[in-house]
Amino acid sequence: MRTIVFLSALVPALFFYAASAHSEAYVSVYGGLVQPHDSKITNNVSGETGKVFFRDSGSAGIKTGYWFTAQGAPYFGLQLDANAYQAHIKELTSSDGTVAPVTSKTEFVAVTLNAVIRADVEVIRPYAGVGAGWYYLNVGAGSKPIPAVGVKGGWADTSDSTYGFQGFVGLDVPLTKSLSLFAEYKFITAKFSFNDKVYFPIDMDYQSSQLYAGLTYSF
């Protein structure tokens, strides 16, 4: 619910940005599949290490940007992107091989600024980009697993926000002068540190692969 409220508040700002950028602006909406990678974790109290495993999740987002065609560089653009998803933690494992099944739902939100390049053609237009921005991860209340990575029991909600990075490649297919379809692969990485010293004192190297399809409207 918090993610929906956040994105609902952000959408008007994204449309205002696009409208203010005149004829070269665009707005896209998209959805797809997220596959969080097996993430390395470290207990920031005891120093114990291990991994956290996630289940795949659906995702949705919105982005807006500007191609610098009027400035003589139609192949280069800037983009503001916001997306969110929820994924369940499947298990924690310690470096000694201990496996602790977990029931906990995570909530992820990212808002990034990206630099994008594309092929300046009228048909299928490949593109690629890199960016950085604000990443937020909430780890929902967890059931009581067997001890692993120094986590001896369950935990309440805990969250952290940090900066992160992403890279992506995609294909854009024009349908009309104003509408196009696109498909995209995105890789994101960020380091989170949860400061619940009693129940969830975990540093996490978080990464995910994301596959999206969406619709773009160009102004």
Side-chain angles (χ1 to χ4, degrees):
M1 180 60 69
R2 287 174 295 182
T3 300
I4 295 173
V5 172
F6 172 81
L7 291 179
S8 297
L10 187 63
V11 166
L14 296 179
F15 274 96
F16 176 79
Y17 171 85
S20 67
H22 307 298
S23 61
E24 304 302 327
Y26 63 88
V27 172
S28 304
V29 293
Y30 61 86
L33 176 69
V34 175
Q35 296 180 313
H37 296 192
D38 304 338
S39 299
K40 178 183 176 181
I41 55 176
T42 302
N43 188 307
N44 52 45
V45 174
S46 68
E48 297 174 72
T49 61
K51 286 187 176 181
V52 58
F53 295 81
F54 298 88
R55 301 185 188 278
D56 296 348
S57 171
S59 177
I62 181 171
K63 57 185 178 179
T64 185
Y66 180 81
W67 294 107
F68 287 89
T69 304
Q71 291 75 27
Y75 49 83
F76 178 74
L78 293 178
Q79 179 188 96
L80 183 64
D81 185 7
N83 75 72
Y85 58 85
Q86 294 180 330
H88 288 78
I89 294 178
K90 182 166 57 176
E91 61 189 31
L92 301 179
T93 65
S94 296
S95 56
D96 64 4
T98 301
V99 178
V102 178
T103 301
S104 175
K105 182 169 64 178
T106 66
E107 184 177 67
F108 178 88
V109 180
V111 180
T112 59
L113 180 64
N114 307 306
V116 192
I117 57 173
R118 67 172 179 178
D120 183 27
V121 294
E122 294 182 357
V123 288
I124 297 176
R125 298 179 292 207
Y127 64 88
V130 294
W134 176 79
Y135 289 70
Y136 167 86
L137 183 63
N138 174 265
V139 177
S143 64
K144 295 186 180 298
I146 61 176
V149 202
V151 179
K152 294 183 170 56
W155 58 83
D157 281 9
T158 183
S159 62
D160 184 41
S161 61
T162 185
Y163 65 88
F165 302 94
Q166 65 182 31
F168 53 90
V169 294
L171 293 174
D172 184 71
V173 182
L175 301 177
T176 68
K177 183 178 179 179
S178 298
L179 290 176
S180 64
L181 290 173
F182 68 92
E184 181 177 300
Y185 167 80
K186 180 189 295 181
F187 172 81
I188 71 104
T189 181
K191 293 187 176 182
F192 294 100
S193 182
F194 301 95
N195 295 317
D196 186 340
K197 300 299 186 185
V198 177
Y199 297 108
F200 201 75
I202 295 297
D203 294 338
M204 182 185 301
D205 294 334
Y206 185 84
Q207 299 176 339
S208 72
S209 293
Q210 306 175 12
L211 296 172
Y212 292 120
L215 182 68
T216 295
Y217 178 80
S218 300
F219 292 87

